[in-house]
Amino acid sequence: MQLDPNARPGKVVEIDTETLQITREVVVGYQPEEMVVTDGKLYVANSGGYRYPNYDTTISVIDLESFEVVNTIDVAINLHRMELDRYGRIYVSSRGDYYDIGADVYVVDTRTDEVIGNLGIPASEMCLSGDSLYMTAVEWSYVTGSNTVSYTLYDVKREEVVSDNFITDGTDKLIKIPYGLAVNPETKEIYVSDARDYVTPGTLYCFDPDGCLKWQVTTGDIPAHFAFTTESFQ
């Protein structure tokens, strides 16, 4: 891969939450996207998305004690989301190049820091709940000038696809651009947000654990991320 001599790699910064001061920092790959922590190591997915067509292809592995990059794992181009299962495997999404190389999800074994396979499934967003890996995809192609949308449920223990559409009542047809994804850790309700046209208010959809629509509500523009709380706001 040819690198742009004018491009600058990204970095990870450690901040003391009491003083809000930077305590340490380390250079990683180009345009770091998402991170997971396990066994004293921080894994960082690098996309290099702004360097098209010279995407980054790596995960940077940082030792949290020394705060130094101790390994670089070559995975696939344009990496994005990451999820860590309880078996020591990281699932990292690759968005492809939007032309000839399709999106996919790759599996990294944190015991060896090696890529051990791929799912053959595109994923724009991922959410792991127990052994269930929920994935939504909006796979854009400049060749066709269109999106391919999918909703996949994968069992990480059995290592197999459970369903090629976890929305089971047909209401996925209401969603134009699935942009955010979350599963309530207590109720197991599934939340999918719709960015629609990216310039007007979106919609948040709530599905029961069986994938049937419970309710929907209008949000602000491009709803993307979620947080759950037990605190009452009344």
Side-chain angles (χ1 to χ4, degrees), residues 5-83:
N6 297 315
R8 299 176 59 186
K11 64 181 178 181
V12 173
V13 176
E14 178 188 78
I15 297 175
D16 187 313
T17 56
E18 292 187 356
T19 65
L20 301 182
Q21 299 298 309
I22 294 175
T23 53
R24 297 185 294 181
E25 57 184 60
V26 59
V27 174
V28 290
Y30 290 86
Q31 198 179 335
E33 296 277 357
E34 198 151 285
M35 303 177 286
V36 296
V37 176
T38 182
D39 196 25
K41 294 183 290 186
L42 175 66
Y43 291 79
V44 185
N46 306 302
S47 74
Y50 293 139
R51 299 194 310 156
Y52 165 83
N54 296 319
Y55 295 103
D56 203 329
T57 63
T58 65
I59 292 175
S60 299
V61 185
I62 299 169
D63 177 79
L64 288 175
E65 183 174 353
S66 65
F67 216 65
E68 295 179 350
V69 173
V70 294
N71 200 358
T72 301
I73 308 169
D74 193 29
V75 182
I77 67 169
N78 201 6
L79 301 180
H80 191 207
R81 300 299 189 201
M82 305 180 87
E83 289 287 348

Side-chain angles (χ1 to χ4, degrees), residues 176-177 194-202 221-222:
K176 184 176 181 181
I177 303 290
D194 185 359
R196 298 173 62 84
D197 58 7
Y198 299 105
V199 294
T200 56
D221 295 354
I222 317 180

